[in-house]
Amino acid sequence: MSERARRLLLTAALALAACGDPAPGRPPAPPRSLASAPAARSPAPAPRSQHDGVGTTRAASAGGQDDPAATAGDDAALPREQAFPTACAIDADCGYDPAGERCGADPRLNRQPPVTDQGIVCYCDAGACALLRVLPVPCEGDHDCAVAHEPRPHPVRATRERPHEKGRPCRDLTMSTTCERTNICTLRRHACPRR
């Protein structure tokens, strides 16, 4: 058997193995020449990265969309919480970090005003800044509201153990609560002369 016949038989055997057995009564299809086969696709080039000046790397091309870090957004590479010192001596040392949703002792953080009906309280507890989140307290009358003094003064719903405060401002109490027209308990700090 000549070399050429041997090659044709080998090519036909490979074509049959790739395509399966031909239908009965049908001659096998001639093998396609290697020149007509579609060229294998070259792998897509790795996406180039560009530096955005903040120490993070972003995918520069649309090919980076399959990358989980790229689909999560540029902020995925940034630290979600920046570490702020928390050591404090008094409440005024503590401020609120909205990005990290926590309190810290850095002077650049937001100092929160005293709570009247709802908000954030950053206070110093055992030498470290702590966070108190005060939610609005619904009410129908003043009797529904009371003052909680711990960890810092804020309005709460009146209970049997903590009833609505009674007495005269500055004589019997320095803080009281009222139910405002918005139907939310509001804390009032009375301006009392020092004794």
Side-chain angles (χ1 to χ4, degrees):
M1 181 182 288
S2 68
E3 186 66 29
R4 185 175 177 191
R6 196 176 298 148
R7 281 187 191 168
L8 284 173
L9 282 175
L10 181 62
T11 306
L14 289 174
L16 281 175
C19 300
D21 293 333
R26 229 174 179 188
R32 293 188 299 177
S33 69
L34 296 176
S36 65
R41 290 185 181 176
S42 60
R48 292 183 311 171
S49 358
Q50 68 185 29
H51 196 271
D52 64 3
V54 188
T56 60
T57 304
R58 297 184 294 186
S61 66
Q65 290 177 353
D66 293 336
D67 183 15
T71 55
D74 295 342
D75 295 337
L78 292 172
R80 287 191 61 82
E81 295 180 0
Q82 184 177 357
F84 287 111
T86 58
C88 59
I90 57 173
D91 287 355
D93 292 340
C94 300
Y96 183 62
D97 169 29
E101 295 184 353
R102 60 187 180 155
C103 295
D106 194 293
R108 296 169 295 177
L109 298 179
N110 301 332
R111 272 25 187 195
Q112 302 298 308
V115 168
T116 57
D117 55 6
Q118 59 187 303
I120 300 288
V121 179
C122 288
Y123 63 99
C124 190
D125 181 39
C129 291
L131 171 69
L132 170 67
R133 190 181 304 273
V134 179
L135 300 176
V137 180
C139 58
E140 293 181 5
D142 291 350
H143 60 278
D144 290 332
C145 305
V147 177
H149 293 275
E150 297 299 329
R152 294 297 180 267
H154 62 281
V156 293
R157 186 156 186 83
T159 61
R160 184 173 292 179
E161 295 78 23
R162 186 185 283 130
H164 178 69
E165 55 283 344
K166 295 178 181 175
R168 287 182 285 182
C170 295
R171 180 173 178 178
D172 302 318
L173 46 88
T174 57
M175 285 183 271
S176 62
T177 51
T178 58
C179 183
E180 295 299 309
R181 283 183 286 182
T182 55
N183 294 98
I184 292 177
C185 292
T186 302
L187 175 66
R188 301 201 175 278
R189 292 170 172 83
H190 302 289
C192 301
R194 292 187 179 181
R195 295 177 181 174

